[in-house]
Amino acid sequence: MEERSLILLGLLMSQSQHGYQINEFIERNLSAVTDMKKPTAYATLDKLSHNGYIDIQLEQEGNRPTRKVYSINDNGKKYFYELLLQNLSSAESVNYQGDIGLMFIDFLPIEKTKPALEERLNNNKKILELIKQTPSHGERSGVNLAVEHKIAMLEAEVAFLEKSIGKLALHLE
């Protein structure tokens, strides 16, 4: 919840926005750092409102349905800074789902293991190339840092897989 709150409050630090704007921005620009879906975003916005961190105004334009416009308030700004400092200073122990397969790799014959890891390597290279195409975000270096971090993690994964495949190839000879 805290990471989701941090994302939503951070987006509201720039300007008040309606839910559609927020979700569109997340889908288009933040997919490298979050997999937050629309229902989760709306539920988190409601919780932030209930807890007194954001204000909601109803907006009506012509015959369109009424929509909620979310704004961060002073309590929300204080909470945002707390979450931001907590997030920046915390160390993470990342659990990679692919490590589960690595734990049991010895149960597969090497001739099946190597192609599976090569496929994983190729998929990671494709993801890496896509993320490297992320445009720079100009003045705000924070988004650039998050993208650079994702690139560094994927480059480490690619290097690890190349090294591991090389070791397996020695056993095949």
Side-chain angles (χ1 to χ4, degrees):
M1 159 81 181
E2 289 183 340
E3 291 82 18
R4 293 172 181 153
S5 295
L6 180 59
I7 289 169
L8 295 170
L9 291 171
L11 292 175
L12 294 174
M13 287 292 287
S14 302
Q15 65 182 23
S16 298
Q17 300 178 59
H18 55 80
Y20 181 80
Q21 287 174 300
I22 293 168
N23 283 301
E24 283 296 304
F25 185 86
I26 291 170
E27 281 182 26
R28 272 193 264 123
N29 301 298
L30 301 182
S31 61
V33 294
T34 186
D35 59 356
M36 187 178 352
K37 304 292 184 226
K38 287 180 186 180
T40 303
Y42 282 115
T44 305
L45 286 166
D46 287 341
K47 193 169 218 173
L48 288 167
S49 173
H50 178 76
N51 291 334
Y53 298 125
I54 61 174
D55 299 323
I56 299 174
Q57 298 247 330
L58 298 178
E59 184 180 88
Q60 178 74 43
E61 285 186 20
N63 293 334
R64 300 179 87 174
T66 303
R67 60 184 179 184
K68 294 179 181 178
V69 177
Y70 302 92
S71 303
I72 191 167
N73 58 33
D74 289 339
N75 286 336
K77 288 177 183 177
K78 182 180 174 188
Y79 185 52
F80 168 76
Y81 288 120
E82 288 172 20
L83 291 176
L84 181 58
L85 287 170
Q86 182 182 52
N87 181 279
L88 287 173
S89 63
S90 66
E92 289 182 63
S93 174
V94 180
N95 295 319
Y96 294 101
Q97 298 302 309
D99 286 350
I100 296 169
L102 294 175
M103 287 175 31
F104 301 113
I105 203 167
D106 297 325
F107 291 105
L108 277 178
I110 291 176
E111 58 273 4
K112 289 190 177 189
T113 302
K114 187 173 178 273
L117 289 179
E118 287 170 341
E119 182 178 343
R120 178 173 166 177
L121 173 62
N122 289 331
N123 289 334
N124 274 290
K125 284 181 175 179
K126 288 176 188 172
I127 294 168
L128 179 59
E129 287 310 308
L130 279 173
I131 293 176
K132 282 184 173 181
Q133 293 174 19
T134 304
S136 177
H137 282 74
E139 295 175 18
R140 294 223 169 148
S141 63
V143 175
N144 296 333
L145 284 174
V147 171
E148 288 172 23
H149 183 248
K150 187 76 165 186
I151 289 170
M153 296 298 100
L154 283 165
E155 288 174 339
E157 174 75 1
V158 165
F160 168 79
L161 288 168
E162 290 173 339
K163 181 179 172 183
S164 299
I165 291 167
K167 287 180 182 178
L168 288 173
L170 292 175
H171 291 297
L172 284 172
E173 295 175 356

